[in-house]
Amino acid sequence: MSETVIEWIRQHAHRLTTFDSEAPLTDLLPVADIVGDAQVVAIGAATRQAHELSTLSHRLVRLLVEELGFRSLALEGDDASRVGLDEYIRTGTGDPQVMLSGARSFWQTDEILDVVRWMRDFNRRHPDDPVRFAGTDRSSPARNSPIDGLADIERSLAEGAIRWHEVTSDRIVYWGGIAHTVNGNPRTVSPSSSPMTHRNAGSYLREHFGAGYVSIGLTFHHGKARYDIPPPPEEFADAVLGAAGLDAYLLDLRTDGPPPVRTWLETPTKTRMIGPHYARTDNAAYHLAGGSLADWFDAILHTQEVTPVRALS
């Protein structure tokens, strides 16, 4: 592990001061310079089961909407209109907690409920300039193999966001899992019966929007997310990010650095990626591979220790 890289991280990290989704956004303001004129900003979390990553994502959504004029949220994994959430944020009709109970399991959290209620409150205060859910519905029939099927899903996720932008001209926040949001052409997802390698949604969005697609990764070092998660293996990028010893910070990966830093950023690596299933005894198996940090992300929000999301009451 390069001490030069660790010291560079410490010097360039912008410390985050809170995980409170309702707190002032002052500590996140440097994100505005990273976003610039981007039309789509992806927020990709290493796990959907961590409270801190969920609340930081919420704070990023707030920043992008309240300060930078983004007006559509593509919340990956289900269809907001299917469960009635788009109607709720427009009109206040219905109970969002009941609606979320009919959504996919990783939407059934208090953290997502807080986002939905914030969207409704924003629209109540800005009836002539509302935020809305992006209509990124897609069909994804498998073709010849599971890999073909997953590749179809990735392409259709990207095409849904592209179509929505073409129709609405809205700037879009795309909030999903790290496997889908990184610029991966290709990327490899493990574990599986055989690792799945194919192009992902983020790469199609980068191809279409160019620098107008910004990829922000939310990583973590250790903690608990339904299950105890020990520190990552030494060869993982997350191990180096954690070695800086900071509780939570923003790191702009486009910042110039000495040769050891550029080498670290541009060398293919692994970063942890943990879904609904995880085995502590096989910790190293749960990762994303096939690219470098500089390929995948424009910026990273790193959290040293995480705790579980709160399931809906």
Side-chain angles (χ1 to χ4, degrees):
M1 191 179 296
S2 170
E3 288 300 324
T4 301
V5 173
I6 295 170
E7 186 56 32
W8 177 83
I9 293 173
R10 289 174 180 148
Q11 290 176 0
H12 291 88
H14 181 84
R15 296 195 184 211
L16 303 178
T17 58
T18 181
F19 295 112
D20 181 354
S21 62
E22 298 180 357
L25 301 169
T26 309
D27 59 334
L28 284 177
L29 289 179
V31 171
D33 291 332
I34 297 169
V35 169
D37 296 328
Q39 296 302 299
V40 179
V41 172
I43 303 171
T47 178
R48 300 172 189 261
Q49 304 300 324
H51 169 75
E52 290 76 11
L53 304 193
S54 295
T55 55
L56 283 178
S57 297
H58 184 172
R59 297 187 73 224
L60 281 171
V61 172
R62 281 186 54 213
L63 176 77
L64 293 166
V65 171
E66 294 175 0
E67 304 295 334
L68 301 181
F70 284 69
R71 284 299 178 267
S72 286
L73 171 61
L75 186 56
E76 184 187 87
D78 209 330
D79 178 8
S81 63
R82 181 184 71 81
V83 294
L85 291 174
D86 55 345
E87 175 70 15
Y88 170 77
I89 65 169
R90 285 198 308 269
T91 68
T93 301
D95 183 338
Q97 183 165 342
V98 173
M99 295 171 185
L100 283 172
S101 68
R104 294 282 296 279
S105 61
F106 44 77
W107 282 21
Q108 295 181 26
T109 69
D110 284 344
E111 289 82 359
I112 296 295
L113 179 60
D114 287 345
V115 173
V116 172
R117 285 176 169 162
W118 166 80
M119 293 174 75
R120 173 58 197 152
D121 184 64
F122 181 91
N123 289 346
R124 183 182 54 79
R125 291 181 286 112
H126 303 87
D128 298 324
D129 187 23
V131 64
R132 51 190 168 180
F133 285 107
T136 55
D137 241 352
R138 80 285 185 283
S139 57
S140 52
R143 293 180 181 174
N144 300 316
S145 72
I147 293 179
D148 289 336
L150 289 174
D152 290 344
I153 289 172
E154 296 296 330
R155 184 184 301 107
S156 60
L157 286 171
E159 289 174 348
I162 292 167
R163 284 194 300 271
W164 184 259
H165 181 263
E166 290 173 344
V167 169
T168 67
S169 298
D170 280 1
R171 301 175 80 188
I172 301 169
V173 187
Y174 188 105
W175 179 3
I178 198 171
H180 307 291
T181 62
V182 300
N183 173 33
N185 186 16
R187 58 96 170 105
T188 299
V189 177
S190 297
S192 61
S193 55
S194 59
M196 297 293 189
T197 300
H198 51 77
R199 191 174 179 183
N200 77 333
S203 74
Y204 289 109
L205 291 168
R206 175 60 57 82
E207 178 181 65
H208 182 84
F209 291 103
Y213 178 71
V214 169
S215 170
I216 299 177
L218 277 72
T219 60
F220 73 100
H221 188 263
H222 67 277
K224 182 177 290 188
R226 287 192 179 178
Y227 18 63
D228 291 325
I229 305 174
E234 189 172 299
E235 69 271 19
F236 279 35
D238 319 71
V240 181
L241 295 168
L246 307 175
D247 290 339
Y249 61 90
L250 165 67
L251 186 65
D252 186 345
L253 301 189
R254 306 167 306 171
T255 305
D256 288 336
V261 172
R262 295 316 310 174
T263 298
W264 176 68
L265 289 173
E266 294 169 4
T267 299
T269 188
K270 296 177 181 178
T271 189
R272 66 183 349 162
M273 183 195 69
I274 299 177
H277 306 292
Y278 171 76
R280 179 187 174 99
T281 55
D282 200 15
N283 184 39
Y286 295 82
H287 67 265
L288 186 71
S292 68
L293 289 185
D295 293 331
W296 289 336
F297 307 113
D298 295 287
I300 282 175
L301 270 67
H302 182 77
T303 299
Q304 192 72 350
E305 184 173 4
V306 298
T307 58
V309 290
R310 303 184 304 267
L312 285 177
S313 302

